[in-house]
Amino acid sequence: MKKVVVLKSESDNSDTYSSLLQKHGFEPVLVPTLDFSFKNLDVLRDRLLSPYKYSGLIFTSPRSITAVRDALGGQRLKDDWRTLENYSVGETSHDLICNHLQLNTKGQQSGNASNLADFIKTDLYNKTITLPFLFPCGNLKQDVLQYKLSEYGYSLDSVEVYETVPHKDLERNLVQLFRGDAPAFLLFFSPSGINYCSAIFERNKLDLGGCRIVAIGPSTKKAIENKGLTVYRTAEKPSPDLTLNLYCVYMFYITSPLRNWLPAGDD
């Protein structure tokens, strides 16, 4: 049974990844990679009480949704937000926003911040937007969303509401994992995840030679390659089904008598 190490924060869809992988004959191992500490929730609350100052809300991570929920302290998000232009990245975030904030968002299929900016530009075509978007974010956010929206004539009011740190058990769990047979796959979900893990790999001289590394999203792919590692496959969106498809492609390849017919670079 092929061991697949899922290196991500503990979130609502972690069980979904494990269930799908088990269903298809893999042995999933979830290694919590990141922890988060929240801050500036009072600042965020003040912003949330003034929807008339904004064109809408933008979410690019599940943590930002948690921050909004906690900032509201059990109160309902003001109804005026529901009439504005609200956007999110990822199906998981979209579902969390619907369930916890009773707010509908657009653009969840975009997959990453760069694509979301392009979607927003298209979605707002022929609409007059003069007010900024409220953007709750983390300390490691990339600036691509702000830069691209600025180019398109839109602005963000960014509020840093959480900090990303390595999970307290990450190093112990990784070292223990590599004491046995090396896992077949390492699945990374974020640039910060690979940055924290690569330092542990180097410090403990862990051998990644037998592992195939899968990236979720182009920014994660770039971060992995910046560490001098080879990316086996990249999923453009953080979806369990899309990710699982990467593994199924691999299993077809190593078991199929037609594998030599596949184009160069597929392995």
Side-chain angles (χ1 to χ4, degrees), residues 3-250:
K3 184 181 293 184
V4 179
V5 179
V6 181
L7 292 148
K8 68 189 302 290
S9 61
E10 296 172 290
S11 64
D12 291 350
N13 66 344
S14 294
D15 289 342
T16 303
Y17 283 94
S18 296
S19 297
L20 278 172
L21 289 168
Q22 286 177 332
K23 179 180 178 181
H24 288 267
F26 295 95
E27 179 188 350
V29 179
L30 176 63
V31 175
T33 309
L34 307 174
D35 269 340
F36 307 95
S37 58
F38 291 90
K39 61 182 183 179
N40 296 328
L41 296 188
D42 55 339
V43 177
L44 179 60
R45 175 179 169 79
D46 288 343
R47 303 287 204 280
L48 292 170
L49 294 177
S50 304
Y52 59 89
K53 294 181 179 179
Y54 296 98
S55 293
L57 274 159
I58 295 180
F59 297 93
T60 58
S61 77
R63 270 70 58 191
S64 60
I65 302 163
T66 300
V68 169
R69 183 192 63 190
D70 292 351
L72 291 171
Q75 293 184 357
R76 179 182 172 89
L77 187 68
K78 280 184 171 292
D79 288 338
D80 289 346
W81 285 107
R82 294 170 178 78
T83 65
L84 301 180
E85 307 290 346
N86 302 300
Y87 300 94
S88 65
V89 171
E91 299 290 346
T92 297
S93 291
H94 173 75
D95 292 343
L96 287 172
I97 295 164
C98 289
N99 293 334
H100 295 308
L101 303 179
Q102 291 76 54
L103 183 72
N104 190 38
T105 57
K106 299 175 286 185
Q108 65 271 16
Q109 73 282 358
S110 54
N112 59 62
S114 180
N115 290 343
L116 180 63
D118 295 336
F119 176 88
I120 291 173
K121 178 187 178 183
T122 301
D123 187 61
L124 297 179
Y125 183 73
N126 279 340
K127 294 182 180 179
T128 302
I129 298 294
T130 59
L131 297 175
F133 289 91
L134 179 57
F135 179 43
C137 59
N139 63 313
L140 298 182
K141 73 174 177 65
Q142 300 187 34
D143 293 326
V144 61
L145 181 66
Q146 183 168 344
Y147 286 155
K148 292 191 77 169
L149 287 181
S150 179
E151 288 180 1
Y152 298 153
Y154 308 115
S155 62
L156 291 178
D157 179 9
S158 301
V159 181
E160 193 172 291
V161 293
Y162 66 91
E163 292 189 1
T164 304
V165 296
H167 192 277
K168 60 182 177 63
D169 296 325
L170 177 59
E171 183 158 10
R172 178 173 62 96
N173 289 338
L174 283 178
V175 170
Q176 184 176 356
L177 182 67
F178 276 83
R179 280 178 180 161
D181 294 334
F185 296 95
L186 296 176
L187 174 56
F188 288 97
F189 283 74
S190 68
S192 53
I194 181 60
N195 289 338
Y196 293 140
C197 288
S198 64
I200 295 172
F201 296 151
E202 293 175 11
R203 187 162 54 246
N204 294 277
K205 296 180 172 55
L206 302 182
D207 183 11
L208 304 184
C211 304
R212 293 173 184 261
I213 299 176
V214 177
I216 303 301
S219 60
T220 304
K221 177 178 184 290
K222 182 178 179 181
I224 294 171
E225 292 174 337
N226 286 342
K227 296 298 181 182
L229 300 172
T230 300
V231 177
Y232 171 64
R233 287 285 191 275
T234 302
E236 292 303 316
K237 302 177 183 180
S239 162
D241 291 312
L242 287 171
T243 304
L244 181 61
N245 184 54
L246 298 176
Y247 303 127
C248 292
V249 168
Y250 168 70

